[in-house]
Amino acid sequence: MKLPQSVKLPESVKLPRSPLSGRALTAGAVAVATLMAGGSAAGAASAAERPAAVADAPDIPVANVKAHLTQLQSIATANGGNRAHGRPGYQASLDYVRAELDAAGFTTSLQEFTASGRTGYNLIADWPGGDADQVVMSGAHLDSVTSGPGINDNGSGSSAVLETALAVARSGYQPTKHLRFAWWGAEELGLVGSSHYVDSLGSADREKISGYLNFDMIGSPNPGYFVYDDDPTIEKTFKDYFAGLGITTEIETEGDGRSDHAPFKNAGVPVGGLFSGADYRKTSAQAAEWGGTVGEPFDPCYHSSCDTTANVDDTALDRNSDAIAYAVWELSQ
């Protein structure tokens, strides 16, 4: 997530919203199973914390998401400790994600831009089929800051979006709407990559995007469960999912206007997303609801060298990854 807050949208700005169609979540939810002694909290979240009405959306194996994080960590370690824009670690991250998508049958393309005197790239992946006039798009920024490997910020969002895309391929999913996935460059320099993408679209192509879903930091070690309050249908989709798990969510305010949904929102595209918190501190009420440590940041390693694979909460990563898949399936039918 980009550090400066200079692009934060004024509260008075209200952009047009085009609700997405989606099936309402059926009433009720399965109870969360009690963990067996010695069991994995993350595994239990994946196996037991699934609303009964989500049969169509696959469970996203958190082990697969973590495997992608391990690859991104290895890339950073081998390239000066970071995966920042215009540096070898970013290029290697891009190559890794693209190879996974190409092997799964996606149509991938790179979009080149320049920022701070360095060449950057966005990676766009389209799943064949679906109505090209109704595009459901999911994205995350792939770059880190120069001071660390960026595993929660934003390897977590990038890896969960990647695994959701791979789940689309594994299941042979053929939605009514067209699915597009994106990994943005140079977010940490001011939303450069996503802004370049939106600016490159003509008005007709922007209008074809039924919704853009953004995922920036979804595995914070002292996590919260925050939902963007932008497009009402996308917001409800995520809230319904977490309600089915018995988890209360809060409106996301810390990152409003500071991540890659902002250029889409400014262009009138319906947006939504998830966030587990950055350097804001957890309140006693939030700790009572979600657990964790009162008075500590949601992510103490935000924009730091300690943002490694050890800086991720498996349960939050698992729940949010499953929520991404649920929303992609729900909103693309």
Side-chain angles (χ1 to χ4, degrees):
M1 176 173 291
K2 182 177 70 71
L3 182 60
Q5 301 190 49
S6 58
V7 297
K8 185 175 178 66
L9 295 173
E11 292 297 322
S12 60
V13 174
K14 298 296 180 183
L15 294 163
R17 294 174 174 177
S18 302
L20 292 165
S21 61
R23 294 173 292 112
L25 189 66
T26 59
V30 294
V32 178
T34 303
L35 289 177
M36 299 298 291
S40 163
S46 179
E49 294 188 353
R50 299 232 0 125
V54 193
D56 290 345
D59 175 69
I60 300 299
V62 72
N64 291 8
V65 182
K66 291 181 67 179
H68 299 314
L69 292 178
T70 297
Q71 290 294 324
L72 295 179
Q73 176 69 67
S74 297
I75 287 169
T77 300
N79 290 280
N82 69 74
R83 300 179 302 99
H85 161 73
R87 297 169 187 262
Y90 183 78
Q91 184 64 56
S93 299
L94 195 74
D95 292 344
Y96 169 72
V97 174
R98 189 178 194 183
E100 293 282 309
L101 294 163
D102 285 342
F106 282 83
T107 300
T108 63
S109 61
L110 296 181
Q111 184 182 46
E112 183 177 321
F113 59 88
T114 301
S116 298
R118 295 175 182 263
T119 301
Y121 300 94
N122 295 323
L123 171 61
I124 310 298
D126 285 275
W127 182 240
D131 184 353
D133 290 331
Q134 299 183 80
V135 178
V136 174
M137 191 168 185
S138 303
H141 76 86
L142 187 57
D143 63 314
S144 75
V145 291
T146 57
S147 57
I151 298 304
N152 185 40
D153 183 18
N154 183 37
S156 62
S158 291
S159 295
V161 171
L162 172 58
E163 191 58 30
T164 299
L166 297 179
V168 167
R170 285 194 298 267
S171 67
Y173 181 41
Q174 294 297 324
T176 300
K177 298 178 182 178
H178 180 74
L179 293 180
R180 180 174 299 152
F181 299 88
W183 289 263
W184 308 117
E187 187 270 358
E188 298 290 3
L189 299 183
L191 320 181
V192 179
S194 55
S195 295
H196 178 76
Y197 176 81
V198 173
D199 290 346
S200 72
L201 297 175
S203 58
D205 286 331
R206 287 196 296 269
E207 290 172 1
K208 291 177 182 179
I209 303 176
S210 299
Y212 171 70
L213 314 179
N214 192 64
F215 305 102
D216 189 351
M217 302 179 66
I218 60 167
S220 302
N222 189 28
Y225 292 90
F226 299 99
V227 175
Y228 296 12
D229 67 333
D230 294 293
D231 179 78
T233 301
I234 301 175
E235 178 185 357
K236 184 178 186 298
T237 300
F238 286 122
K239 285 184 172 180
D240 283 348
Y241 183 83
F242 284 103
L245 304 183
I247 297 172
T248 300
T249 58
E250 290 186 10
I251 296 303
E252 196 286 305
T253 58
E254 182 179 2
D256 192 18
R258 294 171 56 194
S259 192
D260 294 298
H261 60 292
F264 288 88
K265 182 176 179 177
N266 288 339
V269 175
V271 301
L274 300 174
F275 178 56
S276 57
D279 54 358
Y280 282 21
R281 295 179 182 272
K282 182 171 283 186
T283 67
S284 57
Q286 289 169 333
E289 188 65 47
W290 298 325
T293 306
V294 177
E296 289 296 315
F298 294 102
D299 183 355
C301 289
Y302 175 59
H303 281 190
S304 300
S305 60
C306 60
D307 187 11
T308 66
T309 50
N311 189 50
V312 171
D313 181 87
D314 288 1
T315 301
L317 183 68
D318 190 21
R319 289 169 172 169
N320 283 315
S321 297
D322 286 341
I324 294 171
Y326 173 72
V328 168
W329 259 253
E330 184 78 1
L331 297 170
S332 63
Q333 302 198 32

